[in-house]
Amino acid sequence: MFLFSFFALLFMTASENDAAETIQAFVIPHSHMDVGWVYTVQESMHAYASNVYSSVVEELSRVKSRKFIAVEQEFFRLWWVNVASDWHKKQVKQLLQEGRLEFIIGGQVMHDEAVTDVDDAILQLTEGHGFLYETFGVRPRFSWHVDPFGASATTPVLFALAGFNAHLISRIDYDLKDVMQKNKKLQFVWRGSASLSEKQEIFTHTMDQFSYCTPSSLPFSNRSGFYWNGVALFPDPPKDGIYPNMSLPVTKETVELYAQTMVDNIKQRAQWFKTSHVLWPWGCDKQFYNASVQFMNMDVLVNYINTHSDKYGVAVQYATLGDYFQAVHQTNLSWDVRGSKDFLPYSTEPFQAWTGFYGSRNVLKGIARRASSLLHAAESLFTRYSISYPDGPVQREWALEKLKALRWAVSEVQHHDGITGTESPKVADMYTQHLMQGMMGAEELLAAVFLLPHSLELSDNIHSPQTRPTVEKKDVIEQHVIVYNPLAWNISTFINVSVSYTMAVVLDDDGKQVPAQIQQSATNSSGYDLFFVVELGGLQYRKYLVQFPQSHCGSACRITHAARIVKFKRKNVSQWKSRGRKLLPVLNECYKLMFDQETNLLHSITDRLEKRSIQVQQDFWEYEANGDVNAGPISDNYIFTANSSAVLAYKSVAMEIVPGKVVSEIRQYFYRNEDDKNHTYSVVTRVPVGFHGKLACHRLEQSYKVGPLEVNRETVFRTSTSLQNNRTLFTDNNGYQMMRRAYKNFVNNTVARNYYPMVRAAYIEDVSSRVAFLTERAHGVASLSQGQLEVMLHRRLWNNQQWNLGYNLTLNDSSVVRPVLWMILGSPAAVSSIYQQEAQELQHRPVVMPIDKPGKLWIQKEKSVRPFVQPVVLPQNLHMQSLSIPGWNYSPNHTQQLQNLGSGGDRGSKIDFDRILLRITHLYEEGEDPVLSKPTTINLKEVMLGVGEVTKVLERSLTGTWEISDLQRWSWRTNTGVGKTEREYVSGMPKDFNVTIFPKEIRTFFIYFK
């Protein structure tokens, strides 16, 4: 270390501004506090997190030069509500005013960047920012994304939209970081969106090789350095205050040794940056739970170095992140521009590609996204209800508490050791419990809105029959189902309700029969799947009556198709002969699928609209992972290491086809061994029928059943086509934008390093055809051979690495997972025009809620008039990302908000139910589609007429805390000569309620109704 530092100093390049300039080191005290990972939130609060905030506030209050940055709001909010004394709270407000305590990022968590959906990243940021602004009147201006495993190009866009002046990342490929360090390229201006470009650029600082932790190696001690409070203990803090591995105290005997070590590290880091300012993070995981001993030692060290500054050529100061970025900004240097490329995937060593977590804990990933979708639906439905029936029987404060619980749970799991699947089993259980409890509350809210009368005049609406029963009363059992469309588009699709009867008749709320289909269930041998067509306007719900005749019902049942299962002989792989000769077609108005009876596999698909066919085969493969660290590289919950090519995961395939009039279904069962009675894998492909000219016609819905796996197996679903894609893949960044992924060859670990996260979509294409997959949860995806796309659906791993065993992070996941993918085929132009809307329809499928169990006819009542719910419909290229009542009661005027806080009023005295948060996003990139990529103008008053009469609209920053006309972000000089530009904003209300939304914009508004 010292030899390296000596030679490095000889050739060190000083600041571009002044070669003899003293290096200014900004010592930034912080504690990296994982909201989960190894220990639950409750365990962490007890063991160390509460003490971090209590002791930091106490120590900052003692000495005026001390500073600290606080990051994750979940821990801070729990401390603020449950632990902090009135004195602590008063001191926090004082420290914020003095700029010595700074909130960084301000979200509930430090969210993952690879597998987090953009909606959820925005949600957790909005939740944290709302609390901070309501409580303190502060709005974070900087990010500190030091631990997510790779960096997405979407994140800097979101932070720019939230009003941040600068962004900080750390975990990028080891070899890339090395090159960037040597060339002083760790800092740049990032234009994360190709469409928004310089409009939402942000200065980005990449941490050097030491990352966010203080260098712990001391040449004069076998203990860690600069961690004088030692290592946190679980489950209980030690009563005597003595922790393991406490650094040697700074004394007369050690101060010079500490100073030289710190100065050497500062100078080493200074070589890698253009300015003489060095960001020196002081802290690491679970630090500062005893801030007294931390600052007591560092105070002496800081004073010693500054007293001998001329000798060392270094000056040090306690700083916030804002202090550091302000100093860099004031240099007024020009910076390189990075376009819309991301830093994914991420590797730390040649055999450590962090691409495994894209598929880890698939069940948790599915629950998290399902909870997010339910929250989206419940928010918009309650908002409509609250505006239309402010005095209705659904108590608004009760409803908001239900929504807040689910917001908290969905925000929490976005943590970079949460939705990633890299946590311990007990933490995964914690996330799941919080999500399930929140979902139960949201479902209670939905039921209340659906079932309770909106007013006395409409008290019989839900329970009154739509029309005279189609079947004789004595022969019928009935059930009522409410279906809600949470999208601001009109939709035509089918839904599935599990039933116990062999025949059913379905009527809509106008008493009209709707096309239906009933068949034996694919998942329950004693049950039946009832499919029926639903036509719903935007944000509209309807009630359907399902009647189950107990005897022959004649003509009344003709519109319901009783589908029959056609079973095919099970085929062993070892007996496959000539393929492609005995083909069986399954058709709808858009596609013709051909299945090979020799293999029971898909053979080809024809796009009937464009009269173009491609060969397609789909099946399951497995990577066999190594679990012995002594035998070679391993796979674990973070890392994917393919020690060899994938092998076929089955030896036998069975197939059933269910021809239908609403949906045709192909069921394929894959057996690990020829003599297995139970299949390990299955895929059910549903082909919508009768939807000509509608979006549903263009998708092939595939549901998978995978597992339980054998230990040390990683399972992929591989689609092999005749496309000439040159192994080039396109995947989405957090569901916001698509990234081109060209295949790369590496000396080692090429398979794993060509895996990418798929959050909503991935596709391969050639000049004439595109095959796209849409997903309702995150997976890993790759194109490793010509015309091939594989999706990693499940992983089960165990290894003997002591670190993994010690923290119980071996991912021995014995679950059965049931993910869903939608497949779309066509020309690149045709698929481009629909896949964005299809992806939203998959993410936000209709909410189906049976409101009773099958039973005898309800008592006949006089038919009441169904209240007409006017649809809310946006153009095809605009998506209503959020319609909610946040519940914060801060003033939208910043000056007024600060005055309110200064007056000492009770911030929790009244919830603001009148302020509605509306967020609309443009789904398309510039140039992606000749029509849909154009800027789109809407009139918010007209669009929202179905909800109520809009009286006022205020445009806000992404998270709502800034009035858009007040938001002024720092401009940074760039080497391109083109600086940041801002659109012309009108203060207050958009003119005539008209808003023009440009490609990839996300626009946030507060709207008020009469």
Side-chain angles (χ1 to χ4, degrees), residues 286-461:
K286 308 177 187 68
Q287 285 294 305
F288 281 88
Y289 45 83
N290 185 345
S292 174
V293 69
Q294 286 282 85
F295 280 112
M296 182 176 63
N297 284 277
M298 185 58 90
D299 284 350
V300 176
L301 185 55
V302 166
N303 291 334
Y304 183 87
I305 292 174
N306 286 337
T307 301
H308 300 85
S309 180
D310 290 343
K311 168 187 171 182
Y312 291 125
V314 171
V316 296
Q317 66 182 80
Y318 290 130
T320 64
L321 188 60
D323 294 334
Y324 169 74
F325 276 129
Q326 189 169 43
V328 173
H329 183 249
Q330 288 174 349
T331 64
N332 204 29
L333 295 178
S334 293
W335 304 94
D336 288 344
V337 170
R338 182 179 181 87
S340 58
K341 296 184 295 183
D342 60 11
F343 290 97
L344 291 167
Y346 160 64
S347 295
T348 48
E349 294 177 13
F351 283 103
Q352 291 193 353
W354 292 48
T355 57
F357 76 88
Y358 303 160
S360 296
R361 298 201 189 280
N362 186 277
V363 172
L364 177 62
K365 285 177 167 67
I367 294 172
R369 286 279 286 278
R370 198 162 69 244
S372 173
S373 297
L374 181 62
L375 176 63
H376 177 268
E379 295 273 22
S380 61
L381 186 67
F382 171 64
T383 299
R384 293 198 70 155
Y385 179 90
S386 181
I387 293 168
S388 301
Y389 308 102
D391 300 317
V394 179
Q395 212 255 349
R396 295 197 293 179
E397 288 77 11
W398 170 85
L400 194 58
E401 286 304 310
K402 299 294 183 183
L403 293 172
K404 284 183 176 180
L406 189 51
R407 291 174 192 168
W408 185 286
V410 173
S411 296
E412 176 185 72
V413 78
Q414 306 312 318
H415 172 64
H416 57 270
D417 274 304
I419 198 166
T420 52
T422 54
E423 63 282 287
S424 66
K426 67 179 177 182
V427 174
D429 291 343
M430 176 200 74
Y431 291 133
T432 301
Q433 180 184 12
H434 292 174
L435 289 165
M436 297 302 289
Q437 288 175 341
M439 292 169 72
M440 287 176 61
E443 287 169 349
E444 290 175 17
L445 171 57
L446 289 173
V449 172
F450 289 146
L451 295 177
L452 290 178
H454 298 163
S455 66
L456 292 177
E457 292 76 15
L458 299 171
S459 60
D460 289 340
N461 175 62

Side-chain angles (χ1 to χ4, degrees), residues 794-810:
H794 199 9
R795 314 175 75 221
R796 184 180 182 182
L797 302 165
W798 185 91
N799 64 75
N800 58 4
Q801 188 178 65
Q802 288 303 308
W803 186 84
N804 280 325
L805 293 174
Y807 286 126
N808 196 14
L809 296 174
T810 57

Side-chain angles (χ1 to χ4, degrees), residues 583-633:
L583 301 180
L584 187 71
V586 178
L587 297 85
N588 74 354
E589 293 80 359
C590 294
Y591 299 123
K592 179 173 70 173
L593 288 73
M594 302 295 285
F595 288 86
D596 192 335
Q597 296 182 65
E598 179 64 33
T599 63
N600 286 336
L601 298 179
L602 181 62
H603 173 269
S604 61
I605 301 177
T606 300
D607 178 351
R608 298 183 66 191
L609 301 179
E610 299 185 346
K611 297 179 174 55
R612 184 181 293 114
S613 295
I614 59 173
Q615 292 182 345
V616 183
Q617 178 173 304
Q618 296 182 309
D619 52 4
F620 293 92
W621 295 68
E622 285 183 341
Y623 291 96
E624 298 178 353
N626 169 46
D628 183 1
V629 294
N630 299 311

Side-chain angles (χ1 to χ4, degrees), residues 872-886:
V872 176
V873 182
L874 289 175
Q876 180 184 343
N877 57 356
L878 301 184
H879 167 53
M880 188 174 290
Q881 204 166 16
S882 181
L883 180 67
S884 66
I885 299 174

Side-chain angles (χ1 to χ4, degrees), residues 660-829:
K661 295 185 177 179
V662 174
V663 57
S664 290
E665 195 170 80
I666 304 95
R667 305 170 181 177
Q668 294 164 291
Y669 306 98
F670 296 78
Y671 298 83
R672 183 177 295 280
N673 297 300
E674 290 184 358
D675 56 354
D676 285 354
K677 292 184 178 180
N678 299 314
H679 60 273
T680 303
Y681 312 102
S682 69
V683 55
V684 176
T685 303
R686 288 173 177 160
V687 183
V689 178
F691 292 91
H692 182 63
K694 297 176 181 177
L695 206 59
C697 180
H698 297 275
R699 58 182 177 245
L700 303 171
E701 305 188 7
Q702 296 192 314
S703 301
Y704 310 89
K705 178 248 176 189
V706 182
L709 302 183
E710 295 182 351
V711 176
N712 285 330
R713 294 293 188 271
E714 300 169 273
T715 298
V716 301
F717 184 70
R718 181 174 287 178
T719 300
S720 303
T721 76
S722 54
L723 268 61
Q724 302 296 305
N725 74 315
N726 297 319
R727 297 187 290 188
T728 296
L729 174 71
F730 294 81
T731 70
D732 68 312
N733 248 179
N734 311 102
Y736 174 70
Q737 56 189 342
M738 299 301 293
M739 296 279 149
R740 184 179 184 273
R741 314 292 194 181
Y743 183 86
K744 299 176 182 177
N745 282 300
F746 297 93
V747 175
N748 299 301
N749 217 15
T750 294
V751 169
R753 295 186 75 176
N754 276 285
Y755 254 79
Y756 296 90
M758 169 192 185
V759 179
R760 285 191 191 170
Y763 64 81
I764 57 175
E765 67 179 13
D766 58 19
V767 293
S768 60
S769 299
R770 177 182 294 182
V771 176
F773 284 89
L774 311 175
T775 181
E776 37 72 84
R777 70 188 73 180
H779 302 285
V781 63
S783 179
L784 304 175
S785 296
Q786 183 80 285
Q788 195 179 90
L789 185 149
E790 67 180 40
V791 181
M792 185 171 288
L793 297 180
H794 199 9
R795 314 175 75 221
R796 184 180 182 182
L797 302 165
W798 185 91
N799 64 75
N800 58 4
Q801 188 178 65
Q802 288 303 308
W803 186 84
N804 280 325
L805 293 174
Y807 286 126
N808 196 14
L809 296 174
T810 57
L811 198 67
N812 190 5
D813 185 352
S814 60
S815 64
V816 175
V817 303
R818 301 180 186 276
V820 174
L821 296 176
W822 286 2
M823 180 166 56
I824 304 173
L825 298 90
S827 68

